[in-house]
Amino acid sequence: MEYKEPFGVKLDFESGIIENAKKLVRKLSDMKGYYVDEEAYEKLLKEDPIIYEVYAVEQEEKDGDLNFATTVLYPGKVGSEFFMTKGHYHSKADRAEVYFALKGKGGMLLQTPEGEARWIPMEPGTIVYVPPYWAHRTINTGDEPFIFLALYPADAGHDYGTIKEKGFSKIVVEENGEVVVKDNPKWTE
Amino acid sequence: MEYKEPFGVKLDFESGIIENAKKLVRKLSDMKGYYVDEEAYEKLLKEDPIIYEVYAVEQEEKDGDLNFATTVLYPGKVGSEFFMTKGHYHSKADRAEVYFALKGKGGMLLQTPEGEARWIPMEPGTIVYVPPYWAHRTINTGDEPFIFLALYPADAGHDYGTIKEKGFSKIVVEENGEVVVKDNPKWTE
Ligand SMILES: [Mn+2]
Ligand SMILES: [Mn+2]
């Protein structure tokens, strides 16, 4: 029998970079329609800032195998809405995921297929358990990069379409200097 | 449909403790037959030191779900052999695992079912990918607690029996102040 080779790679705690990982960059222009304030979006688009970077080490899509990735989510806002990842369900909806916050300040917004939402604050050391079926999006509510490690089944897959179309039922904004989780005015059941 | 509730828990980077986790303690007396030097084992048994502690957050044994646990592996030696975990294959042998070193110094010994071994040094920031089918044991080669986080499929299970009976084909010892990986004199094909 042929076995895959074990390996060790270095994660840099300061930068979040995993050596030899596949890098993915999401700029504001990759996220049209994701933020509520379209005017603020168009205005910030002139700068087109990087919203987040992902460093992923992935295996073939096989049951029982595992992928891992760090995300460096930059600080900022589109209008009053904090910079965030696109968010997704898993294509294999019953696949769980575990996040581990390493640096900065933020949180995770989760949602069932019926739109029932949860907000879990994250700081360095917080481990978040994402149960099967929940969509998940991370949000930087601080003023430095928010860095975390995620581990997910190799066959989980990403369903971005549902969130792109419908969004989350909640949004996370700054109001009077406070982090506020409130109803998404664009949400429809 | 009923959904499991997402949650966040705190991992303390200094102590390795995960709040509300299930704690498991392995003392030297739980590891009879694991170390090569039986005389040194019997002598140290009078103190019966704690070799390692595990803080685990586990789900039902379901395909696609994930468990996580930290291990605090104490420094020390039995004869010249460094303190180590029992080591195991997964009961569902094709389940992978990912380790993330947080503190201290050590490494992972891995082995195929045929006894082909690998040694992967670990320091804070090292992520080790344990492919399907490989047995794995961690070893503290430093002089402070070696602390790491592990993530594994909820249905992986632990097969301790094979290692208890046969051991690994390699052992990790201190020789003239150096960490040396050498053939296990008690290993039989
Ligand atoms: Mn995911
Ligand atoms: Mn394991």
Side-chain angles (χ1 to χ4, degrees):
Chain A
M1 181 164 173
E2 280 283 313
Y3 301 106
K4 291 204 286 187
E5 194 61 26
F7 60 82
V9 289
K10 197 72 202 288
L11 186 170
D12 183 79
F13 284 100
E14 285 306 302
S15 67
I17 295 172
I18 298 174
E19 62 176 9
N20 304 321
K22 191 184 66 182
K23 184 178 179 181
L24 174 97
V25 178
R26 298 273 195 214
K27 302 179 85 170
L28 187 67
S29 53
D30 298 315
M31 295 186 73
K32 189 169 173 56
Y34 280 86
Y35 292 91
V36 167
D37 186 338
E38 287 171 29
E39 203 175 315
Y41 179 87
E42 292 302 329
K43 200 173 154 196
L44 191 58
L45 205 53
K46 286 169 190 121
E47 295 170 37
D48 198 14
I50 293 174
I51 309 296
Y52 58 106
E53 293 160 336
V54 179
Y55 298 88
V57 177
E58 299 190 321
Q59 307 297 320
E60 265 186 89
E61 287 191 19
K62 264 195 183 161
D63 183 23
D65 217 336
L66 294 174
N67 294 341
F68 57 92
T70 46
T71 299
V72 179
L73 177 51
Y74 289 95
K77 292 194 296 278
V78 178
S80 63
E81 203 175 3
F82 290 106
F83 278 11
M84 60 191 186
T85 60
K86 287 187 170 184
H88 58 268
Y89 291 93
H90 290 152
S91 307
K92 278 204 177 178
D94 66 352
R95 270 35 189 162
E97 185 158 355
V98 174
Y99 280 66
F100 180 35
L102 300 174
K103 209 179 170 194
K105 183 172 163 268
M108 187 186 288
L109 194 60
L110 299 104
Q111 176 168 299
T112 68
E114 289 78 24
E116 175 83 13
R118 297 287 184 277
W119 168 248
I120 298 183
M122 297 167 72
E123 58 179 12
T126 304
I127 299 178
V128 178
Y129 170 69
V130 181
Y133 304 108
W134 291 77
H136 39 289
R137 155 184 290 169
T138 39
I139 298 171
N140 187 339
T141 57
D143 42 29
E144 58 170 334
F146 174 40
I147 301 176
F148 50 86
L149 174 67
L151 291 106
Y152 46 103
D155 63 351
H158 292 87
D159 164 16
Y160 289 108
T162 309
I163 295 299
K164 184 178 173 52
E165 208 175 297
K166 298 199 46 173
F168 279 72
S169 63
K170 300 281 181 182
I171 58 173
V172 181
V173 298
E174 186 172 73
E175 281 183 1
N176 306 316
E178 300 288 316
V179 176
V180 178
V181 181
K182 55 189 242 181
D183 289 343
N184 180 355
K186 295 189 174 172
W187 173 258
T188 50
E189 294 281 324
Chain B
M1 182 165 175
E2 279 284 312
Y3 301 106
K4 289 205 286 186
E5 195 61 26
F7 60 83
V9 288
K10 198 72 202 291
L11 187 170
D12 183 79
F13 285 100
E14 284 306 301
S15 67
I17 295 172
I18 299 173
E19 60 176 8
N20 303 321
K22 192 184 63 182
K23 183 178 179 181
L24 177 95
V25 178
R26 299 274 194 214
K27 303 179 85 170
L28 187 67
S29 53
D30 299 314
M31 297 186 72
K32 188 169 174 57
Y34 280 87
Y35 292 91
V36 167
D37 186 338
E38 289 171 27
E39 204 175 315
Y41 178 88
E42 292 301 330
K43 201 173 154 196
L44 192 56
L45 204 53
K46 286 169 191 120
E47 295 170 36
D48 197 15
I50 293 173
I51 310 297
Y52 58 105
E53 293 159 335
V54 178
Y55 298 88
V57 177
E58 299 190 322
Q59 306 298 320
E60 264 186 89
E61 288 192 17
K62 264 197 182 159
D63 183 24
D65 218 334
L66 294 173
N67 293 342
F68 57 91
T70 46
T71 299
V72 180
L73 177 50
Y74 289 95
K77 293 195 295 279
V78 178
S80 63
E81 201 175 3
F82 290 106
F83 278 11
M84 61 191 185
T85 60
K86 287 186 171 185
H88 60 269
Y89 292 93
H90 289 153
S91 307
K92 278 205 177 177
D94 67 352
R95 269 37 189 162
E97 186 158 354
V98 173
Y99 281 65
F100 180 35
L102 299 174
K103 210 178 169 195
K105 183 171 163 265
M108 188 187 287
L109 194 60
L110 299 105
Q111 176 168 299
T112 68
E114 289 78 23
E116 175 83 13
R118 298 285 185 277
W119 168 248
I120 298 185
M122 296 167 72
E123 59 179 12
T126 303
I127 299 177
V128 178
Y129 169 69
V130 180
Y133 304 108
W134 291 77
H136 39 288
R137 155 183 290 168
T138 38
I139 298 170
N140 187 340
T141 58
D143 42 29
E144 58 170 333
F146 174 39
I147 300 176
F148 50 86
L149 175 68
L151 290 106
Y152 46 103
D155 64 350
H158 293 88
D159 164 15
Y160 290 108
T162 310
I163 295 298
K164 184 177 172 53
E165 209 176 295
K166 299 199 47 174
F168 278 73
S169 64
K170 301 281 181 183
I171 57 173
V172 181
V173 299
E174 185 172 75
E175 280 184 3
N176 308 314
E178 300 287 317
V179 176
V180 178
V181 181
K182 56 189 242 179
D183 288 342
N184 179 356
K186 296 190 173 172
W187 173 257
T188 51
E189 298 277 325

Short mmCIF file of all heavy atoms in Angstrom, two decimals, chain B residues 88-90 96-97 99 130 136 152 156-158, ligand 2:
data_model
loop_
_atom_site.label_atom_id
_atom_site.label_comp_id
_atom_site.label_asym_id
_atom_site.label_seq_id
_atom_site.Cartn_x
_atom_site.Cartn_y
_atom_site.Cartn_z
N HIS B 88 -0.77 5.89 19.11
CA HIS B 88 -1.88 5.05 18.64
C HIS B 88 -2.04 5.16 17.13
O HIS B 88 -1.60 6.12 16.52
CB HIS B 88 -3.18 5.50 19.32
CG HIS B 88 -3.54 6.94 19.05
ND1 HIS B 88 -3.13 7.97 19.88
CD2 HIS B 88 -4.23 7.53 18.05
CE1 HIS B 88 -3.57 9.12 19.40
NE2 HIS B 88 -4.23 8.89 18.28
N TYR B 89 -2.68 4.14 16.57
CA TYR B 89 -3.28 4.25 15.25
C TYR B 89 -4.71 4.72 15.48
O TYR B 89 -5.21 4.69 16.62
CB TYR B 89 -3.31 2.89 14.55
CG TYR B 89 -1.95 2.34 14.17
CD1 TYR B 89 -1.26 1.48 15.02
CD2 TYR B 89 -1.37 2.68 12.95
CE1 TYR B 89 -0.01 0.98 14.67
CE2 TYR B 89 -0.13 2.19 12.59
CZ TYR B 89 0.55 1.33 13.45
OH TYR B 89 1.78 0.85 13.11
N HIS B 90 -5.39 5.15 14.43
CA HIS B 90 -6.82 5.41 14.56
C HIS B 90 -7.60 4.12 14.29
O HIS B 90 -7.22 3.33 13.42
CB HIS B 90 -7.25 6.54 13.61
CG HIS B 90 -6.73 7.87 14.05
ND1 HIS B 90 -6.48 8.92 13.19
CD2 HIS B 90 -6.40 8.33 15.30
CE1 HIS B 90 -6.04 9.95 13.88
NE2 HIS B 90 -5.97 9.63 15.15
N ALA B 96 -7.21 11.14 9.22
CA ALA B 96 -6.03 11.98 9.38
C ALA B 96 -6.09 12.75 10.70
O ALA B 96 -7.07 12.63 11.46
CB ALA B 96 -5.92 12.96 8.22
N GLU B 97 -5.05 13.52 10.99
CA GLU B 97 -5.05 14.37 12.19
C GLU B 97 -4.10 15.54 11.94
O GLU B 97 -3.17 15.43 11.13
CB GLU B 97 -4.62 13.55 13.42
CG GLU B 97 -4.73 14.31 14.73
CD GLU B 97 -4.82 13.39 15.96
OE1 GLU B 97 -4.91 12.15 15.79
OE2 GLU B 97 -4.79 13.92 17.08
N TYR B 99 -1.71 18.39 14.14
CA TYR B 99 -1.18 18.86 15.42
C TYR B 99 -0.61 20.25 15.24
O TYR B 99 -0.05 20.57 14.19
CB TYR B 99 -0.06 17.94 15.92
CG TYR B 99 -0.51 16.66 16.56
CD1 TYR B 99 -1.19 15.68 15.85
CD2 TYR B 99 -0.23 16.42 17.91
CE1 TYR B 99 -1.58 14.49 16.46
CE2 TYR B 99 -0.62 15.23 18.52
CZ TYR B 99 -1.30 14.27 17.79
OH TYR B 99 -1.69 13.10 18.39
N VAL B 130 -0.69 14.56 10.04
CA VAL B 130 -0.63 13.10 10.22
C VAL B 130 -1.54 12.49 9.15
O VAL B 130 -2.76 12.58 9.25
CB VAL B 130 -1.14 12.68 11.61
CG1 VAL B 130 -1.06 11.17 11.79
CG2 VAL B 130 -0.38 13.41 12.71
N HIS B 136 0.95 7.57 15.60
CA HIS B 136 1.61 8.81 15.98
C HIS B 136 1.76 8.89 17.49
O HIS B 136 0.85 8.53 18.24
CB HIS B 136 0.87 10.03 15.42
CG HIS B 136 -0.63 9.90 15.48
ND1 HIS B 136 -1.34 9.05 14.66
CD2 HIS B 136 -1.55 10.51 16.27
CE1 HIS B 136 -2.63 9.15 14.94
NE2 HIS B 136 -2.79 10.01 15.92
N TYR B 152 -8.89 16.15 15.22
CA TYR B 152 -9.06 14.84 14.60
C TYR B 152 -10.54 14.57 14.36
O TYR B 152 -11.41 15.04 15.09
CB TYR B 152 -8.44 13.76 15.50
CG TYR B 152 -8.77 13.86 16.97
CD1 TYR B 152 -9.71 13.02 17.56
CD2 TYR B 152 -8.14 14.81 17.77
CE1 TYR B 152 -10.01 13.12 18.93
CE2 TYR B 152 -8.45 14.91 19.13
CZ TYR B 152 -9.37 14.07 19.69
OH TYR B 152 -9.68 14.20 21.03
N ALA B 156 -12.62 9.03 14.43
CA ALA B 156 -11.30 8.41 14.22
C ALA B 156 -11.09 7.25 15.20
O ALA B 156 -10.64 6.16 14.82
CB ALA B 156 -10.18 9.44 14.38
N GLY B 157 -11.41 7.47 16.45
CA GLY B 157 -11.17 6.45 17.47
C GLY B 157 -9.69 6.26 17.73
O GLY B 157 -8.83 6.80 17.03
N HIS B 158 -9.37 5.50 18.80
CA HIS B 158 -7.98 5.26 19.18
C HIS B 158 -7.71 3.77 19.25
O HIS B 158 -8.39 3.06 19.98
CB HIS B 158 -7.69 5.86 20.56
CG HIS B 158 -7.74 7.35 20.58
ND1 HIS B 158 -8.90 8.06 20.79
CD2 HIS B 158 -6.77 8.29 20.40
CE1 HIS B 158 -8.64 9.36 20.74
NE2 HIS B 158 -7.35 9.53 20.52
MN MN C 2 -4.74 10.50 16.85
#
